[in-house]
Amino acid sequence: MGVTDVLIVGAGPTGLVLACDLARRGAAVRIVDRSPVSPRTSRAKGPNARSLEILDDLGVAEEVLAAGAAPLPMLKYRDRLPVAETDPWADSAPSPDAPYDRGRLIAQWRLEEILRDRLAGYGVRVELGREVTGLAEGPGGRHVDVTFAEGRTERARYVVGCDGAHSSVRKLLGIGFEGTTAEDQAMVCGDVDLADGALDRTRWHQWFDEDGAVMLCPIPGTRTGWWFQAGPERDGRGRPLAPTADGFRRLLARHTALPGPALTRAELLSTYRVNVRMADRFRAGRVFLAGDAAHVHAVAGGLGMNTGIQDAFNLGWKLGLVLAGHAGPELLDTYEEERLPVAARTLDLTSERLRATLEAIRRPGGGLDAAITPDTTGLGVGYRWSSLARGHAEDPKAADGSTATPDTPDAKVRTARDGERPAPQAGDRAPDAPCVDAVTGARTRLHRVFAGPRTTVLGFGPGSAAVLREVAAAFGDAGVRTCRVYAAHEDRATSAPGEAVVDDEGHAAAAYGRGAPDGTGTGTSTVVIVRPDHHLGLSAPAADARSVHAYLHRLHGAARSAERFSGIGGRRR
């Protein structure tokens, strides 16, 4: 029986992002979905700013931007009359360290098409109509035997359940999914067509009345398509009725100035109820959970699909390094260590945003903009509490972890030297910065340097050159790249291996709290390790080469092949 490296169950955005990330690493990956056809769903309205950075790394951001549209101003109505207009992004603008300051509107089915096409470029296609019905530990605990509905059993080294809130994988593992369902908080949803010219397609229209609501947002890439969301019709006992096209027409006529027949088509109809649930754990032996299979929460803030995409990006590089033999299987423990607290925080955040939105729409002029805060961009998510967030040898979070003290997900950013912007800490998202390729003179960005499935070691100041040479020699064949970041005035005679960029406008130094080199060859010379998922692993003085080597050895050291697990439901022993 052949063995697949990773079998992904569920071909939504979470599963597809994970599959693309693993496929580009050369892993033998397969992705299956129980649906007989690729679903055409528009439930999620698009990637947020952090997910756009991930899609950029995967090489599909330009296509997503072209297929989608910028977030729209929101036009709010009361008693069928417009009463307020709000643009939640009016005061937002791209910055050197975050070129994506807002998300993108795009139908989920279109995003999935783009990701499937990218995956097909690696020779991997979604296997449709394949339902997983059994999971069992293989001989020696080195694989998972996966049984499908047709009776066939196949083998994988790892399995990842990305199969949604009703996850078969989670249920087969017996993992709890505790939380609450608010039966009284229901919404009917669907994709509809409105008569051409019925509404201004440059606005997201929102009617909030005391007895109900209708929301219509234009679907990018269509001429007459709209996302329809509304409070449901109810029967005589106050129970929500199932959504129908005629019901949508009645809701349209009741709350808007449009006649019911203006709605010419309605499909993908569904009822949404507020579920706030999280899996007890995200890993059972060689099986992982990601996306809605691991956590579901209120729709406010649009973080459902985005949190799943970010789960996948966190897990992909760790699986890749373990499969390549560069890291031991204990690295995989850090997936749950990092992502479970983020999921818990997301449940709290979205519940609070839902509360704020329900409060806002009670007043004329209130709308869905109440759900949007800087937290919903995803750019502030980090892992300072993680065992992978290490300081150098003089830091309380030493490279050997002996005196490390975990931070919480809400830990404050410490400041750099007086008068400078806050310096990112280990675990934080690595800032972007515009710069110039030192060889070609072409404009580029640090995130372009980071792109692709490798760890990046940045060197600031002339004293970093020796460390970069050592890193290239020791880890260059194991997926580590080096990049020297020169200041605009700096002498480039001191060469270093790998890539090199010129921080011609000082944005990189400012973003990383480095300041200007002091000309002594040491001083502010610094080495920064950026994980493959764009989070800082370590920032250390160039003189502390020991901490740099210790950190890289953990991720890219010698192969450790003895992977033994106590069973599908157990932990590594």
Side-chain angles (χ1 to χ4, degrees):
M1 182 186 299
V3 181
T4 298
D5 285 337
V6 183
L7 177 71
I8 299 169
V9 183
T14 301
L16 290 167
V17 165
L18 180 59
C20 288
D21 195 21
L22 288 166
R24 66 177 179 168
R25 295 173 184 279
V29 61
R30 292 171 55 199
I31 180 169
V32 301
D33 198 284
R34 67 187 298 178
S35 175
V37 295
S38 295
R40 188 180 174 89
T41 176
S42 297
R43 290 173 305 197
K45 289 187 174 63
N48 64 10
R50 176 59 186 144
S51 292
L52 282 173
E53 292 183 340
I54 293 170
L55 296 171
D56 196 351
D57 189 281
L58 294 176
V60 298
E62 290 187 6
E63 192 171 356
V64 170
L65 293 174
L72 299 175
M74 299 178 181
L75 183 56
K76 278 79 69 76
Y77 301 78
R78 196 77 162 191
D79 297 327
R80 301 184 177 184
L81 298 175
V83 294
E85 181 171 309
T86 304
D87 182 353
W89 304 103
D91 296 328
S92 176
S95 62
D97 63 342
Y100 299 115
D101 67 310
R102 64 194 70 189
R104 196 75 174 170
L105 292 174
I106 182 173
Q108 183 174 321
W109 63 264
R110 181 68 184 104
L111 175 61
E112 290 174 359
E113 275 187 347
I114 292 170
L115 289 168
R116 284 197 301 270
D117 287 346
R118 170 60 61 165
L119 187 58
Y122 296 111
V124 180
R125 296 187 182 278
V126 176
E127 300 172 34
L128 295 167
R130 305 213 64 200
E131 180 181 359
V132 173
T133 57
L135 296 169
E137 183 184 73
R142 296 181 180 275
H143 347 20
V144 182
D145 286 334
V146 184
T147 303
F148 290 89
E150 69 267 25
R152 184 172 177 177
T153 297
E154 299 171 15
R155 185 164 288 175
R157 291 185 175 86
Y158 296 97
V159 174
V160 186
C162 304
D163 50 341
H166 302 288
S167 171
S168 296
V169 172
R170 187 188 64 243
K171 293 173 183 176
L172 288 168
L173 295 172
I175 292 178
F177 201 48
E178 297 301 318
T180 60
T181 299
E183 296 292 344
D184 60 327
Q185 293 180 337
M187 179 171 66
V188 290
C189 312
D191 287 8
V192 305
D193 276 343
L194 297 181
D196 197 7
L199 280 175
D200 178 3
R201 290 181 63 85
T202 67
R203 298 293 184 271
W204 185 347
H205 302 267
Q206 302 169 14
W207 292 263
F208 293 109
D209 297 321
E210 292 184 5
D211 62 342
V214 168
M215 293 152 278
L216 282 164
C217 181
I219 301 175
T222 69
R223 188 169 60 86
T224 58
W226 297 76
W227 283 298
F228 183 102
Q229 297 168 289
E233 295 184 299
R234 296 183 181 269
D235 64 15
R237 300 174 62 181
R239 295 173 300 191
L241 297 175
T244 65
D246 284 341
F248 280 13
R249 293 186 181 98
R250 287 191 292 270
L251 288 167
L252 192 73
R254 180 186 307 164
H255 294 288
T256 82
L258 298 175
L263 193 153
T264 60
R265 176 191 63 93
E267 62 181 17
L268 303 174
L269 310 185
S270 63
T271 299
Y272 168 82
R273 288 180 173 82
V274 176
N275 283 289
V276 181
R277 298 181 181 273
M278 191 168 74
D280 297 341
R281 50 195 170 125
F282 291 5
R283 179 185 184 185
R286 290 179 173 267
V287 186
F288 299 82
L289 300 175
D292 286 356
H295 43 74
V296 294
H297 44 76
V299 69
L303 293 177
M305 178 187 73
N306 288 290
T307 306
I309 287 174
Q310 291 150 35
D311 285 346
F313 205 52
N314 183 285
L315 180 58
W317 69 273
K318 297 171 182 178
L319 281 169
L321 287 181
V322 172
L323 289 165
H326 296 308
E330 61 270 14
L331 178 64
L332 299 176
D333 291 337
T334 66
Y335 169 65
E336 179 179 295
E337 177 191 356
E338 293 184 341
R339 292 304 297 174
L340 192 149
V342 170
R345 169 66 179 131
T346 302
L347 264 62
D348 290 342
L349 171 64
T350 53
S351 294
E352 168 56 26
R353 289 298 89 206
L354 176 62
R355 185 207 61 77
T357 301
L358 293 175
E359 177 67 26
I361 64 176
R362 292 192 181 100
R363 302 183 300 273
L368 301 185
D369 50 298
I372 298 173
T373 72
D375 286 336
T376 60
T377 66
L379 296 173
V381 173
Y383 312 113
R384 293 188 186 179
W385 64 91
S386 170
S387 60
L388 293 181
R390 302 292 187 174
H392 65 91
E394 298 176 0
D395 197 298
K397 295 186 76 176
D400 63 5
S402 58
T403 59
T405 301
D407 292 318
T408 68
D410 298 315
K412 299 293 185 181
V413 177
R414 69 180 177 188
T415 58
R417 291 173 294 277
D418 290 343
E420 295 181 6
R421 72 166 67 183
Q425 295 187 46
D428 290 351
R429 166 189 166 272
D432 202 354
C435 46
V436 172
D437 187 296
V439 175
T440 67
R443 301 296 309 179
T444 186
R445 300 188 279 117
L446 284 185
H447 276 206
R448 292 292 187 196
V449 174
F450 303 158
R454 291 186 286 174
T455 297
T456 304
V457 181
L458 299 177
F460 291 85
S464 68
V467 182
L468 295 183
R469 283 193 291 270
E470 293 171 4
V471 166
F475 300 100
D477 294 334
V480 179
R481 88 190 105 202
T482 60
C483 179
R484 177 71 165 85
V485 183
Y486 290 99
H489 63 274
E490 195 175 346
D491 181 5
R492 294 174 219 165
T494 306
S495 63
E499 300 181 53
V501 296
V502 179
D503 185 21
D504 61 325
E505 297 175 339
H507 292 301
Y512 286 82
R514 300 281 61 91
D518 61 9
T520 66
T522 57
T524 59
S525 292
T526 305
V527 175
V528 177
I529 299 177
V530 179
R531 302 172 1 171
D533 60 352
H534 306 168
H535 285 270
L536 269 63
L538 172 75
S539 179
D544 185 15
R546 181 180 68 85
S547 291
V548 175
H549 281 266
Y551 190 90
L552 290 173
H553 191 271
R554 180 175 182 187
L555 301 187
H556 298 273
R560 286 163 280 186
S561 60
E563 293 178 279
R564 296 181 296 163
F565 291 81
S566 59
I568 291 296
R571 299 296 294 174
R572 180 180 48 82
R573 63 173 189 260

